Amino acid sequence: MSGAFIVFEGIDGSGKSTLCRRIAEVLVSKGMAVETTAEPTHQGIGAIIRSGSAGPVSQETEALLFVADRNDHTERIVESVSQGNIVLCDRYFASTVAYQSSGLDGRAVDAEWLLSINSRFIDRPDMVVLLDIDPEKGLGRVDSRGEEVSKFEDPEFLRRVRSCYLALAERFGFRVVDASRSADEVFEEVMSVIGEVL
């Protein structure tokens, strides 16, 4: 069986990480070779981004760090897919565009510039699933998990992120799934959707 590269996108609380793990478990149980991954990654530049050890940097600089991390990550993804693995990725280039262009702290990076700097370092996924949810509901889920609130978890900001995601979905043909429903309902629909490329 040939490999596949499937990306899950969405705002905080949309259920990407949980869904990714659940789908991986099911596919492995069916005898498929599956690799799960996420951005930012947990090594090298990705680890610097996650830890915040780069210090206070501009949004442009932060975007460039994400792209640098993505360059190395994409090389590993391409290699894994070429070996016949199904790679399930929690966030990819659309996250950088949606979040960095949505004006955190009143500053927005140009979306077209973000797309242009990413274009050289990405591999087009076989499918991108956008888990769409109202920011208030998504943040409610984050709160219920007792997680530490990140700088990105502001309702007004996430409304802009969501709008950008939906525009990217239309432009690039992402599959939009209503993530406000129960976990089982979302899982069933996503399994059906990704079955088109598996």
Side-chain angles (χ1 to χ4, degrees):
M1 175 181 166
S2 60
F5 177 28
I6 300 171
V7 173
F8 299 93
E9 293 281 6
I11 65 169
D12 305 72
S14 60
K16 301 178 317 309
S17 303
T18 302
L19 181 67
C20 203
R21 286 192 298 270
R22 185 174 177 184
I23 288 173
E25 289 170 2
V26 170
L27 296 181
V28 167
S29 74
K30 294 182 177 182
M32 299 180 185
V34 179
E35 179 182 343
T36 59
T37 187
E39 290 195 355
T41 62
H42 290 272
Q43 60 272 339
I45 296 168
I48 292 170
I49 296 169
R50 285 184 181 274
S51 69
S53 59
V57 297
S58 71
Q59 286 201 59
E60 288 86 354
T61 299
E62 189 172 59
L64 291 168
L65 288 171
F66 277 110
V67 174
D69 181 45
R70 184 163 300 122
N71 180 45
D72 290 344
H73 191 211
T74 298
E75 290 177 2
R76 295 193 297 273
I77 290 168
V78 170
E79 176 63 22
S80 185
V81 172
S82 73
Q83 294 171 355
N85 296 319
I86 298 165
V87 177
L88 305 178
C89 188
D90 181 349
R91 298 198 185 281
Y92 197 51
F93 79 90
S95 281
T96 298
V97 178
Y99 277 81
Q100 300 294 326
S101 71
S102 292
L104 183 66
D105 299 329
R107 294 200 58 236
V109 181
D110 180 67
E112 293 304 318
W113 178 74
L114 290 166
L115 284 167
S116 70
I117 63 171
N118 273 278
S119 63
R120 215 182 135 185
F121 303 107
I122 63 173
D123 189 56
R124 186 58 62 88
D126 294 291
M127 179 171 286
V128 178
V129 177
L130 173 60
L131 298 174
D132 181 49
I133 192 170
D134 177 83
E136 297 285 354
K137 186 158 190 175
L139 289 176
R141 290 178 176 176
V142 174
D143 289 342
S144 71
R145 295 195 298 253
E147 296 176 2
E148 185 177 340
V149 176
S150 80
K151 66 179 183 179
F152 299 111
E153 291 167 354
D154 171 77
E156 277 302 318
F157 171 66
L158 288 178
R159 272 189 271 280
R160 296 192 295 273
V161 174
R162 182 191 187 192
S163 293
C164 186
Y165 263 137
L166 290 170
L168 290 169
E170 185 172 354
R171 180 171 177 175
F172 292 102
F174 300 169
R175 300 298 290 270
V176 181
V177 172
D178 178 3
S180 67
R181 298 169 297 163
S182 73
D184 286 341
E185 288 174 310
V186 174
F187 171 76
E188 291 299 332
E189 181 174 349
V190 173
M191 283 298 294
S192 175
V193 164
I194 68 173
E196 296 173 18
V197 296
L198 297 181

